């Protein structure tokens, strides 16, 4: 099973078709915020938000499986943006993977962003009602357990967020 994690930028329909014919099964797109300006600001690229949704449309036209990954920190599950993303996923059946903030990297030692029990319960309830909306609230990072990544240079890495060449 071959999956491509991307921000959606520069993934034209022609390029996606080429990848699909070469064996690509799925495209997973990062969505930093449901708010267009916030997403573009986080990505430091005007138009990044629109690129995500254009890529979703292109993937669906081609027949590629497509999903969204959305980072969730404390309190986000009660925000309008989070609820809008869930509604979009329910309406369109685009898979939504909710990635809980973990006490790693910049959050190590700072629990203010780590999801609380209320967030965890909301994410679990949403998943129970809509199985295509998944969450990882208990198991932490899947690097080397459920995924590995290959960068554009052919180097094997534990995941697309851990840039350590392991072979």
């Amino acid at each position: 099973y071959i999956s491509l994690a991307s921000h959606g930028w520069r993934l034209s329909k022609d390029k996606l078709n080429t990848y699909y014919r070469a064996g690509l099964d799925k495209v997973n797109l990062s969505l930093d915020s449901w708010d267009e300006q916030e997403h573009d600001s986080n990505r430091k690229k005007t138009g990044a938000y629109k690129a995500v949704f254009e890529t979703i449309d292109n993937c669906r036209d081609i027949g590629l499986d497509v999903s969204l990954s959305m980072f969730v920190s404390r309190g986000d599950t009660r925000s309008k943006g989070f609820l809008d993303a869930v509604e979009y996923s329910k309406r369109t059946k685009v898979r939504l993977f909710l990635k809980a903030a973990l006490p790693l990297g910049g959050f190590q030692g700072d629990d203010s962003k780590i999801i609380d029990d209320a967030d965890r319960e909301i994410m679990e309830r949403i998943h129970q009602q809509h199985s295509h909306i998944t969450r990882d609230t208990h198991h932490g990072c899947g690097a080397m357990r459920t995924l590995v990544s290959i960068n554009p240079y052919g180097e094997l890495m534990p995941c697309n967020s851990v840039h350590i060449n392991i072979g």
Side-chain angles (χ1 to χ4, degrees):
Y1 190 81
I2 301 172
S3 177
L4 172 68
S6 175
H7 46 63
W9 202 256
R10 296 186 183 153
L11 280 179
S12 68
K13 196 173 209 175
D14 287 342
K15 194 176 284 190
L16 287 166
N17 255 319
T18 299
Y19 294 158
Y20 181 61
R21 287 191 309 273
L24 181 66
D25 297 296
K26 176 184 171 186
V27 175
N28 183 48
L29 299 163
S30 298
L31 185 66
D32 294 346
S33 172
W34 197 255
D35 178 83
E36 183 173 354
Q37 288 179 326
E38 188 175 345
H39 177 83
D40 286 0
S41 175
N42 287 349
R43 292 287 163 168
K44 297 176 179 47
K45 188 87 168 164
T46 301
Y49 181 88
K50 285 185 173 101
V52 167
F53 291 95
E54 183 178 309
T55 301
I56 288 172
D57 291 342
N58 288 338
C59 286
R60 293 183 121 189
D61 288 348
I62 293 166
L64 270 167
D65 188 18
V66 63
S67 63
L68 285 171
S69 286
M70 198 169 162
F71 178 77
V72 180
S73 59
R74 183 174 294 181
D76 284 351
T77 58
R78 296 172 292 284
S79 72
K80 181 181 181 328
F82 176 86
L83 297 173
D84 287 347
V86 169
E87 285 305 312
Y88 171 82
S89 178
K90 288 173 10 183
R91 186 177 71 254
T92 63
K93 298 298 184 215
V94 169
R95 292 180 66 79
L96 178 62
F97 181 48
L98 304 172
K99 299 171 106 177
L102 299 171
L104 303 169
F107 296 143
Q108 195 165 14
D110 177 11
D111 289 344
S112 68
K113 297 284 187 187
I114 308 307
I115 65 168
D116 58 20
D117 288 340
D119 293 312
R120 195 172 284 107
E121 289 169 17
I122 290 168
M123 291 165 69
E124 184 62 34
R125 185 173 51 245
I126 290 168
H127 171 68
Q128 293 304 319
Q129 294 170 353
H130 308 281
S131 61
H132 69 283
I133 301 175
T134 59
R135 75 282 168 251
D136 192 353
T137 59
H138 302 288
H139 306 294
C141 178
M144 299 303 294
R145 285 187 307 115
T146 61
L147 63 94
V148 294
S149 182
I150 300 172
N151 72 13
Y153 307 105
E155 300 166 328
L156 185 66
M157 300 179 300
C159 85
N160 61 331
S161 297
V162 180
H163 300 167
I164 300 171
N165 183 356
I166 58 172

